[in-house]
Amino acid sequence: ILKQLFKDTDIFSLPEAQKQELELLGNNQKAILVVLRVTEWNQAMHTFLGKILGAVQVNVDEDTHCLNITNHASISFSQLHQKHPYQRVICFGLKPKELGLNIEETMYRPFTLSDVQWLFAHNLQTIYEERQEGKKQMAGALWKALKEMFELV
């Protein structure tokens, strides 16, 4: 029927945009999502994150889902949360709007929203580089926030 209506016009069936499948690393035993924006994810970054989380008795491979998103990507936390009901979310180098949250950014200040604890921090790579330079302003703020989030104060 369409061919009859549009005799001289080619009609193409455009495929639906495929949703990018997110690569969640880890076993998520403690319902913790760690969202990162790291351009070069390597063993040094993994070890550094492991040490940070280990300080609050969280094993990065067993207890969390880690999600490294690309520079310009954003994700819908609500869609992700429907599949994996997280209790805590730790974000490195992202703004709330990049996760579909319409809230003000509160760096290093844990807060609860819809029964989920949230923490936003600087980019993990930036914190790592600061520590390599012997400084610890960001790392200190992160440690203080993690202690509060995991009730170690």
Side-chain angles (χ1 to χ4, degrees):
I1 295 174
L2 289 176
K3 281 283 190 194
Q4 293 171 349
L5 294 173
F6 301 98
K7 291 179 186 174
D8 298 328
T9 307
D10 289 330
I11 299 172
F12 298 95
S13 175
L14 297 175
E16 288 184 22
Q18 292 183 348
K19 291 182 180 178
Q20 179 184 355
E21 191 61 37
L22 299 174
E23 185 178 358
L24 296 167
L25 303 176
N27 294 326
N28 196 32
Q29 299 279 332
K30 292 187 179 177
I32 301 169
L33 175 64
V34 179
V35 187
L36 310 123
R37 177 167 284 147
V38 178
T39 52
E40 291 184 40
W41 183 251
N42 55 35
Q43 189 59 44
M45 287 292 104
H46 185 265
T47 300
F48 184 60
L49 179 60
K51 287 180 180 179
I52 290 169
L53 295 177
V56 289
Q57 288 80 48
V58 173
N59 180 296
V60 68
D61 296 316
E62 294 300 320
D63 299 333
T64 72
H65 266 161
C66 286
L67 174 62
N68 185 16
I69 63 173
T70 59
N71 282 336
H72 301 289
S74 59
I75 63 170
S76 168
F77 175 75
S78 62
Q79 289 178 352
L80 191 57
H81 188 61
Q82 287 174 0
K83 290 182 182 179
H84 310 280
Y86 298 108
Q87 295 174 359
R88 294 182 172 111
V89 180
I90 304 168
C91 301
F92 291 97
L94 290 110
K95 297 189 181 308
K97 69 178 181 177
E98 294 173 289
L99 298 170
L101 302 175
N102 190 20
I103 58 172
E104 293 291 318
E105 183 175 357
T106 57
M107 296 282 280
Y108 302 107
R109 291 191 356 229
F111 63 92
T112 301
L113 178 68
S114 299
D115 295 324
V116 178
Q117 283 188 296
W118 291 84
L119 175 60
F120 286 86
H122 285 98
N123 186 297
L124 185 67
Q125 208 161 337
T126 304
I127 299 169
Y128 175 77
E129 290 167 3
E130 178 196 54
R131 290 297 297 134
Q132 296 303 306
E133 295 170 1
K135 300 174 187 171
K136 55 183 177 181
Q137 182 178 350
M138 289 181 273
L142 177 59
W143 172 237
K144 182 179 176 186
L146 286 170
K147 286 193 307 185
E148 182 180 335
M149 182 180 226
F150 289 90
E151 299 172 355
L152 300 176
V153 286

